[in-house]
Protein backbone atom coordinates (compact mmCIF):
# COMPACT_ATOMS: atom_id res chain seq x y z
CA UNK A 1 0.00 0.00 0.00
CA UNK A 2 1.25 3.46 -0.75
CA UNK A 3 0.44 6.85 0.69
CA UNK A 4 -2.05 8.91 -1.28
CA UNK A 5 -2.07 12.67 -0.96
CA UNK A 6 -4.53 15.23 -2.27
CA UNK A 7 -4.94 18.96 -2.06
CA UNK A 8 -5.30 19.05 1.75
CA UNK A 9 -3.16 16.06 2.75
CA UNK A 10 -4.23 12.53 3.62
CA UNK A 11 -5.67 10.24 6.25
CA UNK A 12 -3.83 6.96 6.83
CA UNK A 13 -5.03 3.96 8.81
CA UNK A 14 -2.68 1.50 10.48
CA UNK A 15 -3.68 -1.86 11.94
CA UNK A 16 -1.13 -3.99 13.79
CA UNK A 17 1.77 -1.87 12.55
CA UNK A 18 0.74 -2.10 8.89
CA UNK A 19 -0.70 0.54 6.62
CA UNK A 20 -4.20 -0.66 5.72
CA UNK A 21 -5.46 2.31 3.72
CA UNK A 22 -4.49 5.82 2.70
CA UNK A 23 -7.01 8.34 1.36
CA UNK A 24 -6.34 11.87 0.15
CA UNK A 25 -8.22 14.84 1.62
CA UNK A 26 -9.53 17.79 -0.36
CA UNK A 27 -12.03 20.63 0.07
CA UNK A 28 -15.06 18.35 -0.32
CA UNK A 29 -13.81 15.08 1.19
CA UNK A 30 -12.44 16.27 4.51
CA UNK A 31 -11.80 14.24 7.65
CA UNK A 32 -15.13 15.46 9.06
CA UNK A 33 -16.87 14.30 5.87
CA UNK A 34 -15.50 10.77 6.31
CA UNK A 35 -16.36 10.72 10.03
CA UNK A 36 -19.94 11.73 9.26
CA UNK A 37 -20.20 9.08 6.51
CA UNK A 38 -18.90 6.41 8.91
CA UNK A 39 -21.41 7.39 11.60
CA UNK A 40 -24.28 7.38 9.07
CA UNK A 41 -23.27 3.93 7.87
CA UNK A 42 -23.25 2.66 11.46
CA UNK A 43 -26.68 4.16 12.14
CA UNK A 44 -28.10 2.65 8.95
CA UNK A 45 -26.72 -0.75 9.92
CA UNK A 46 -28.45 -0.55 13.29
CA UNK A 47 -31.69 0.65 11.67
CA UNK A 48 -31.64 -2.50 9.52
CA UNK A 49 -31.70 -4.63 12.66
CA UNK A 50 -28.00 -5.43 13.18
CA UNK A 51 -26.76 -5.37 16.76
CA UNK A 52 -23.72 -3.34 17.77
CA UNK A 53 -21.53 -6.36 18.77
CA UNK A 54 -22.37 -8.02 15.45
CA UNK A 55 -21.36 -4.88 13.51
CA UNK A 56 -18.11 -4.57 15.48
CA UNK A 57 -17.23 -8.18 14.73
CA UNK A 58 -17.92 -7.77 11.01
CA UNK A 59 -15.85 -4.59 10.81
CA UNK A 60 -12.89 -6.16 12.63
CA UNK A 61 -13.01 -9.23 10.35
CA UNK A 62 -13.10 -6.93 7.33
CA UNK A 63 -10.08 -4.89 8.49
CA UNK A 64 -8.11 -8.08 9.29
CA UNK A 65 -8.96 -9.53 5.89
CA UNK A 66 -7.83 -6.38 4.10
CA UNK A 67 -4.61 -6.33 6.14
CA UNK A 68 -3.66 -9.84 5.03
CA UNK A 69 -5.12 -9.85 1.49
CA UNK A 70 -3.22 -9.11 -1.67
CA UNK A 71 -5.44 -6.08 -2.29
CA UNK A 72 -2.71 -4.02 -0.67
CA UNK A 73 -0.35 -4.87 -3.53
CA UNK A 74 -2.81 -4.16 -6.32
CA UNK A 75 -3.76 -0.70 -7.47
CA UNK A 76 -7.10 0.10 -5.87
CA UNK A 77 -9.51 2.91 -6.69
CA UNK A 78 -10.61 5.78 -4.49
CA UNK A 79 -13.95 4.07 -3.92
CA UNK A 80 -12.17 0.92 -2.70
CA UNK A 81 -10.01 2.95 -0.34
CA UNK A 82 -13.06 4.80 1.00
CA UNK A 83 -14.81 1.44 1.52
CA UNK A 84 -11.89 0.34 3.70
CA UNK A 85 -11.64 3.69 5.50
CA UNK A 86 -15.24 3.87 6.74
CA UNK A 87 -15.26 0.65 8.82
CA UNK A 88 -11.88 1.68 10.25
CA UNK A 89 -13.31 5.04 11.34
CA UNK A 90 -16.36 3.27 12.80
CA UNK A 91 -14.12 1.02 14.89
CA UNK A 92 -12.26 4.09 16.13
CA UNK A 93 -15.57 5.73 17.03
CA UNK A 94 -16.67 2.59 18.90
CA UNK A 95 -13.34 2.52 20.82
CA UNK A 96 -12.33 -0.85 19.33
CA UNK A 97 -9.28 0.76 17.74
CA UNK A 98 -7.38 3.50 19.53
CA UNK A 99 -6.93 6.31 16.98
CA UNK A 100 -3.73 7.38 18.74
CA UNK A 101 -2.35 3.90 19.42
CA UNK A 102 1.23 2.77 18.88
CA UNK A 103 0.52 -0.17 16.57
CA UNK A 104 -2.88 0.79 15.23
CA UNK A 105 -4.64 4.06 14.66
CA UNK A 106 -5.00 7.06 12.41
CA UNK A 107 -2.34 9.31 10.99
CA UNK A 108 -3.67 12.53 9.49
CA UNK A 109 -1.03 14.28 7.46
CA UNK A 110 -1.63 17.82 6.20
CA UNK A 111 -0.13 18.74 2.86
CA UNK A 112 3.39 20.09 3.09
CA UNK A 113 3.51 23.80 2.43
CA UNK A 114 5.89 24.77 -0.35
CA UNK A 115 7.83 27.89 0.42
CA UNK A 116 8.58 30.27 -2.39
CA UNK A 117 11.97 31.88 -2.60
CA UNK A 118 11.71 35.63 -2.24
CA UNK A 119 14.50 37.75 -3.63
Amino acid sequence: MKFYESKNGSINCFYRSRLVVSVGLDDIRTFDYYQYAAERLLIEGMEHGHKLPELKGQFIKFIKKIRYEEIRKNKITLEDRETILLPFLMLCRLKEIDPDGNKEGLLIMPRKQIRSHQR
Side-chain angles (χ1 to χ4, degrees):
M1 176 63 67
K2 70 177 196 171
F3 288 99
Y4 289 89
E5 185 176 34
S6 290
K7 183 179 177 183
N8 293 336
S10 65
I11 180 170
N12 307 288
C13 302
F14 291 88
Y15 186 72
R16 297 192 179 168
S17 301
R18 266 199 168 147
L19 178 64
V20 176
V21 68
S22 177
V23 178
L25 300 172
D26 56 26
D27 291 334
I28 296 170
R29 291 185 163 112
T30 63
F31 179 67
D32 293 332
Y33 167 84
Y34 286 119
Q35 277 189 319
Y36 176 77
E39 289 174 6
R40 284 301 314 153
L41 194 58
L42 181 63
I43 290 168
E44 287 177 17
M46 293 179 73
E47 286 175 350
H48 287 283
H50 298 287
K51 304 288 184 213
L52 197 57
E54 176 188 350
L55 290 172
K56 284 181 186 180
Q58 289 177 356
F59 296 149
I60 289 174
K61 284 180 188 176
F62 178 72
I63 295 297
K64 286 180 180 179
K65 181 178 181 182
I66 293 300
R67 182 181 180 269
Y68 294 112
E69 288 280 324
E70 291 296 316
I71 193 170
R72 295 178 301 108
K73 295 180 181 175
N74 299 333
K75 185 171 177 84
I76 58 175
T77 66
L78 175 62
E79 289 179 0
D80 294 335
R81 289 183 276 133
E82 288 177 338
T83 302
I84 299 167
L85 175 65
L86 293 182
F88 198 92
L89 291 175
M90 285 186 261
L91 289 171
C92 289
R93 178 82 168 134
L94 296 172
K95 307 287 189 224
E96 289 295 314
I97 294 177
D98 181 15
D100 298 322
N102 290 336
K103 296 192 180 232
E104 53 195 31
L106 299 172
L107 175 63
I108 301 171
M109 300 187 316
R111 185 159 178 95
K112 182 179 178 182
Q113 298 294 324
I114 300 173
R115 296 183 187 185
S116 61
H117 296 290
Q118 295 178 353
R119 293 180 184 207

